[in-house]
Amino acid sequence: MLKESLHNILIRDMCQTGQLSTRAANCCSMAGLITLYDVVSYFEMGRSFLLLKNSGRKTSGELEMLCKETLSRLEEPKEETPEIDRETEVKDLLENDFYRSINERLISPTELLDYLSPLQKKILEKEYDKLVSSCSDRTARWLRMVDFNDFVNNYLIEENNALMKIRNLGKKAFPELVGFKETFKKVLFRITHSPEEDFPREKLILEKGKWFEEDFVYDYYVRQGHVPMFWILEKELRSDHSRKMDILLNTYPIFEGYRFLTYKELREKYNLSAQRIYQIKNKTFKHFFSAENPLLTNRKEEWAFYKNLIGDEEVLWQDDDRISTLIEQENIHFTRGFVLQVLSLLTDTTHMLLGGLDSPPGKNIMRKNSVLIPIDPAFAFNFNRFISDVRYLISINQARILSDFESYILRSPGWLKYKEEILEGVIKVASEILEHEFGLATVSGKVITPPPPVLPKHPSDVIYEILKQQGTPMHIDDLFTEFKKILPGHKYTSSKQLRPLLYQHDLITHKGRKSMYMLKEWKHIKSGTIRETIIEFLNGHDRPRAVREITNHVLQYFPETNINSIRTSMIKDSKKRFKQYKNGCFGLSDKTYPDKTGDPATLGISNNPFDERLSDLEKFISQHWHFPFSVSTDQNEMSLYRWWRLQCVHFDKLTQGQKTEVERIKNQYAGLDTEKKVYEWNNRYNILIGFLLTNQRMPSPDSRGLEKLLHEWYLRATSDFNRKNGLSDEQRRKYMDIEKMAKIEYSSPSS
C-alpha cells in the first residue's frame, strides 16, 4: 500500500462505513481535509487536530490514532537518510535560526520537546509557572489549566489566533496572551542557548530533589559539600501531623524545649487508653529507627557523609563537640540524644549504642550520657555489667579496687568472649566510660580516684541548728525563712516542704497544732498537742476527772483555749481515746477505773439527772450532726427530743448553771437542724447540688433511681416555692440558688 493510494479514500466514505465518527468527519470536511491523504499529511506536518473547528480532545485523539494506524500500514520504502539527519537539522535550526524555526513552523512541537534536555525542561516549566503568575488574575487562573507541555504542543508554534481556544479567555485577554507567548519565546531562546553550567541550582534540583529549592539547603550544600540531611529530617517530622508522629514527639525527647503532652492529655486528645498509646509509641519508635523508614534509608548516598563523623575504632559521646557542631551548622533543634540515635542506625555495622532514647526511665544504665562504641568490643564485653559493677563499688566507697584498671578488666565477669586482640579496645572504651559517666580519670593504666567530697549538711540538721540557736519554739514559716538564708540554692520553695523533715527528726517535736516546732531537749517548754496534754494528765490519776479540773491543767500550757473547746476536743477525738462517764467526767478509753465494787459500769453514777441527759444530748449531736427528732425509730432519740424540748419550754424554771449549759448547747450547735423535715429537705438539697456539680445538668424526668427521686423532690420544692408559706426564708433562698445554677450554668432537661 502506497501513500498516493490514500487520495482515493474519502473521509465521507470512512464515516459511512463506521471507520470514523461523524463528528471527526465533519471537523475534517470543514477544514478542507477531504481524503485520508489530506488528514495524514496534516498529521505529518506536526499540526494539532485541536486547531480544527469544533474539534475537542476526544476527536483529536481519534484522528491521531487513525493517522498512526494508517502510516503503520504503508509499504512505502523508508528513505535511506538516517533519522539523525532530521535531528541534526532541528538542532541547527534552533541554534542558528531560532525565531524563524518557531514563527514559520519549520519544526514541530514534538521535535522541540525532544530537543530539550531534562534540565532545560525542568527550568522551562519553572519559568513558565512564573510567567503565568505574572499575568492578570483572570488570565493566570485559566492559563494554569494549560501546563507547559500543552502550551508548547498546541499554542507556541501555532498562529496567534490559536490562543483564542484557551478556555474562558476571550478577545479582551488576547493581547495579554500574545505578549505572554512572545515573552515565553524569549525565555525559551535564553534557556536553549545557555550552557547547563549556568543553572547549577536547577541541575541539583533535578538530580537530588525538591529540597534544593530551599535556600538554606542550596547554600549549605555549596558551603559544606553535602546535603543537610538532619535539617531535612526536622522539616519532614514537623510537617507530619499524623497521630502516630504526634505521640512519638510527645513521648520521646526528640526536640529541645518541646512541650510534652502527658499521657492523660494524649488519652483525652485521641480518645485512646494508656495501653494503646504505649503500643503506638513503641511501634512508631521501632519503625522510625529501622531499615523500613524511608526518611533514613531512601537517601543512603546523602546520609553516607555522616558515617565519616566517627572512625571505626572511635567512641562518640552524646555531648561530643562533633554533635554540637553538626547541630549548629545545620541549624536544627534536635536533642543530642536523638542525633546520636540516628547516627547509631547509620553506623550499625561498625558501632553499638549504649543508652538511647528507648531506655526505660530509671533503667537506663547510662545516667549522664549515651555513647556509640565500636562493635567488636561491644560483642566481646558486657559494658552494661561493667557500669553496674563500678556504680556499686563507688556506692560502698570501694573505688580503690579500680586502681589497677587493666587487671580489673582482665578479671571482670563482664567478658562475653575474651580475645587478646580486643583487650586494648575494651580498656579504651571502659576508660572513657569511667571518665564521662563517673568522672574518674585513667593515667598510665591507673584509675585516679578523687578524695571523697565534703557532703553538704542535711536540711534536717540545718533546721535543728536554727532551733538550737533560737532557743524558743518557732513557726514553720519563720523556720523556712532562716533555712533559705543558710541554703539559698536549695530546691525547696515553700515552708510546707519542711514538714516531713520536722516530723522525721528524732530531736524535734511540735508544740500544739499551729505549726510551732521545738526541740525535745527543752524540758521547760511543754510539747505536743492539747489532747496529748489531757492524756498525760489523765494517766496520772486513777479515776476520771471533771472537765473543769482537766481545763485548769491544760490552761497552764495552752492559755488560749477554753473549757468548751476542751470538752469538744475529747468528745470528737477521731481515735476514740477518751471516754465520758455519766457524771460528766472524762477518762481514758484504754484504762480501767474500778470503783468500790470493782465494776467500772457503776462508776460515777450521778445524782444530777440534768447533767446526765445533757451529756447524752451532746454525745448524740456530735455523732449525728443534728438535734434529736420527735419521730424516729430510735427510742433514745425521741426521749432526748422530749427532754430537750422541756428544757427549752421551761427555761425560766432552770437554775443559773443549767441555763448557762442550755445556752451553750444552743450557741455551739446553732447551725444544726432541729426538725426532721428541715433536716431531710436540706439533705436532698445538698444531694441535688452535688448532682449539678458532677453532671453539669438537672435531673431528668425519664431517669431511674436516685436521679428520678431528685427530680421528683425538685418538682415538690418548686410547688412549695410557688405556694405562699410553703418554704421557710432559708429554704426559699436555697431554692433560688438551685434555679440560678440550673438556668445560668447548666442545661435543664425539659419536664
Side-chain angles (χ1 to χ4, degrees), residues 81-355:
T81 305
E83 185 179 353
I84 193 159
D85 287 345
R86 179 56 185 168
E87 291 181 3
T88 304
E89 182 181 359
V90 170
K91 180 180 179 182
D92 183 65
L93 284 170
L94 289 173
E95 290 180 357
N96 300 315
D97 206 354
F98 176 83
Y99 287 105
R100 189 171 74 89
S101 63
I102 298 295
N103 294 334
E104 297 181 9
R105 292 180 286 176
L106 300 179
I107 60 173
S108 67
T110 303
E111 291 173 331
L112 174 59
L113 291 173
D114 291 342
Y115 170 78
L116 298 174
S117 68
L119 176 59
Q120 289 173 331
K121 287 182 180 178
K122 190 74 175 178
I123 298 171
L124 285 169
E125 288 174 1
K126 191 173 181 180
E127 293 294 329
Y128 176 82
D129 292 338
K130 286 182 180 179
L131 285 176
V132 170
S133 299
S134 66
C135 295
S136 63
D137 292 343
R138 185 171 185 274
T139 302
R141 182 168 67 252
W142 296 107
L143 270 179
R144 289 191 181 96
M145 306 296 291
V146 181
D147 63 18
F148 166 74
N149 286 318
D150 285 342
F151 189 82
V152 172
N153 278 317
N154 300 319
Y155 305 105
L156 180 65
I157 300 180
E158 301 300 329
E159 296 179 356
N160 290 340
N161 289 336
L163 295 170
M164 298 294 292
K165 289 184 173 291
I166 297 177
R167 183 183 175 188
N168 292 331
L169 291 178
K171 294 181 179 180
K172 289 185 178 181
F174 183 71
E176 186 178 8
L177 291 173
V178 173
F180 173 85
K181 177 179 176 181
E182 294 302 319
T183 303
F184 184 70
K185 286 181 182 178
K186 295 177 182 178
V187 172
L188 180 61
F189 176 83
R190 177 172 60 84
I191 300 301
T192 55
H193 288 72
S194 300
E196 292 190 352
E197 290 72 16
D198 290 351
F199 307 99
R201 185 167 184 173
E202 288 75 8
K203 187 175 182 180
L204 285 173
I205 294 172
L206 183 65
E207 294 175 353
K208 297 185 177 293
K210 65 175 183 178
W211 283 109
F212 277 86
E213 295 177 1
E214 298 283 347
D215 292 338
F216 177 83
V217 175
Y218 177 72
D219 295 339
Y220 183 92
Y221 183 84
V222 172
R223 291 195 315 270
Q224 304 293 337
H226 69 93
V227 182
M229 293 306 300
F230 278 99
W231 187 92
I232 294 174
L233 180 61
E234 178 172 335
K235 295 296 181 184
E236 294 276 10
L237 292 185
R238 291 190 184 277
S239 63
D240 188 346
H241 301 296
S242 63
R243 181 183 70 176
K244 63 180 182 181
M245 186 55 63
D246 187 40
I247 292 176
L248 180 71
L249 296 181
N250 278 290
T251 49
Y252 288 102
I254 294 177
F255 288 114
E256 290 284 0
Y258 191 85
R259 191 263 177 190
F260 289 130
L261 293 179
T262 63
Y263 268 75
K264 181 179 179 181
E265 290 171 328
L266 286 172
R267 291 201 305 268
E268 293 174 353
K269 181 177 181 179
Y270 293 111
N271 193 25
L272 297 173
S273 65
Q275 183 180 7
R276 180 57 181 149
I277 291 175
Y278 187 78
Q279 292 172 346
I280 295 173
K281 158 195 163 183
N282 290 340
K283 182 178 180 180
T284 306
F285 185 90
K286 184 177 180 181
H287 174 266
F288 189 90
F289 291 101
S290 70
E292 300 175 3
N293 184 1
L295 295 178
L296 300 177
T297 57
N298 283 2
R299 304 184 180 99
K300 292 183 178 180
E301 183 179 344
E302 287 79 5
W303 280 111
F305 166 82
Y306 297 94
K307 294 183 179 181
N308 300 325
L309 280 176
I310 175 173
D312 291 349
E313 302 300 324
E314 285 187 314
V315 175
L316 183 65
W317 289 88
Q318 177 178 315
D319 59 1
D320 194 284
D321 289 341
R322 286 170 285 184
I323 292 183
S324 301
T325 302
L326 185 153
I327 291 174
E328 181 179 354
Q329 287 180 347
E330 297 202 20
N331 191 26
I332 55 178
H333 303 86
F334 289 134
T335 60
R336 301 179 193 282
F338 177 77
V339 173
L340 192 69
Q341 192 92 29
V342 173
L343 293 176
S344 70
L345 179 64
L346 301 177
T347 59
D348 58 347
T349 58
T350 58
H351 287 78
M352 179 181 291
L353 181 65
L354 284 183

Side-chain angles (χ1 to χ4, degrees), residues 394-405:
I394 293 176
S395 69
I396 61 174
N397 295 321
Q398 294 296 321
R400 56 184 176 80
I401 295 177
L402 302 170
S403 298
D404 190 352
F405 192 57

Side-chain angles (χ1 to χ4, degrees), residues 6 34 40 66-68 114 164 221 454 478 500 510 526 559 562 572 574 638 652 721 738:
L6 300 180
I34 306 302
V40 172
L66 173 65
C67 293
K68 290 177 181 178
D114 291 342
M164 298 294 292
Y221 183 84
V454 178
D478 298 330
H510 57 91
K526 188 68 176 177
N562 56 63
K572 295 185 177 181
S574 60
M638 291 191 294
D652 294 338
F721 180 82
I738 294 175

Side-chain angles (χ1 to χ4, degrees), residues 404-663:
D404 190 352
F405 192 57
E406 184 173 346
S407 299
Y408 176 82
I409 292 296
L410 282 170
R411 300 192 309 270
S412 172
W415 284 99
L416 302 173
K417 188 175 182 181
Y418 179 77
K419 294 181 180 179
E420 184 69 30
E421 63 273 14
I422 212 70
L423 175 61
E424 184 178 350
V426 170
I427 293 175
K428 178 184 176 183
V429 173
S431 299
E432 292 213 23
I433 291 175
L434 279 182
E435 180 178 354
H436 284 78
E437 190 70 12
F438 302 102
L440 300 177
T442 306
V443 179
S444 302
K446 304 292 182 181
V447 175
I448 309 301
T449 55
V454 178
L455 298 176
K457 291 183 178 180
H458 194 274
S460 60
D461 295 332
V462 174
I463 296 172
Y464 175 83
E465 292 179 0
I466 293 172
L467 286 169
K468 184 86 171 176
Q469 185 176 0
Q470 180 72 14
T472 58
M474 294 180 67
H475 192 274
I476 190 171
D477 292 338
D478 298 330
L479 274 172
F480 181 72
T481 301
E482 296 299 322
F483 176 83
K484 292 300 285 186
K485 289 180 181 178
I486 298 174
L487 298 176
H490 198 273
K491 63 181 180 180
Y492 288 168
T493 58
S494 70
S495 59
K496 294 180 181 179
Q497 294 171 295
L498 292 182
R499 204 176 297 276
L501 298 177
L502 293 166
Y503 284 141
Q504 295 168 11
H505 203 289
D506 294 335
L507 302 178
I508 299 176
T509 186
H510 57 91
K511 183 180 186 301
R513 293 201 178 275
K514 295 187 177 181
S515 298
M516 298 293 292
Y517 293 90
M518 56 178 284
L519 299 182
K520 292 181 179 180
E521 62 193 54
W522 294 343
K523 302 301 182 184
H524 62 289
I525 301 176
K526 188 68 176 177
S527 63
T529 64
I530 290 177
R531 285 176 180 154
E532 291 171 350
T533 304
I534 296 172
I535 292 172
E536 182 182 359
F537 175 75
L538 292 175
N539 274 326
H541 295 80
D542 57 358
R543 285 182 178 277
R545 313 313 295 175
V547 176
R548 178 62 62 184
E549 187 180 354
I550 295 172
T551 302
N552 291 336
H553 175 77
V554 173
L555 288 175
Q556 299 177 37
Y557 308 104
F558 300 93
E560 69 278 2
T561 188
N562 56 63
I563 188 171
N564 293 334
S565 177
I566 292 173
R567 180 189 288 108
T568 303
S569 180
M570 290 188 289
I571 292 173
K572 295 185 177 181
D573 181 31
S574 60
K575 296 182 180 179
K576 308 295 182 185
R577 292 173 291 183
F578 304 100
K579 182 177 181 181
Q580 185 177 7
Y581 292 88
K582 293 182 178 180
N583 59 357
C585 294
F586 284 86
L588 296 175
S589 299
D590 59 353
K591 190 173 182 179
T592 303
Y593 297 100
D595 63 350
K596 295 178 181 179
T597 65
D599 182 9
T602 64
L603 175 67
I605 297 179
S606 173
N607 294 323
N608 188 350
F610 179 86
D611 292 340
E612 294 179 11
R613 299 297 280 169
L614 189 70
S615 176
D616 292 342
L617 174 66
E618 193 163 7
K619 186 182 295 184
F620 178 88
I621 293 173
S622 65
Q623 291 175 352
H624 297 86
W625 287 92
H626 64 78
F627 281 85
F629 297 141
S630 60
V631 179
S632 173
T633 57
D634 185 358
Q635 295 297 324
N636 183 48
E637 180 180 0
M638 291 191 294
S639 175
L640 283 174
Y641 167 79
R642 290 191 295 271
W643 177 84
W644 176 248
R645 178 173 170 78
L646 286 172
Q647 307 313 306
C648 296
V649 171
H650 302 295
F651 181 78
D652 294 338
K653 298 180 181 181
L654 300 177
T655 65
Q656 187 59 40
Q658 291 173 339
K659 288 180 179 180
T660 302
E661 287 298 300
V662 170
E663 289 292 342

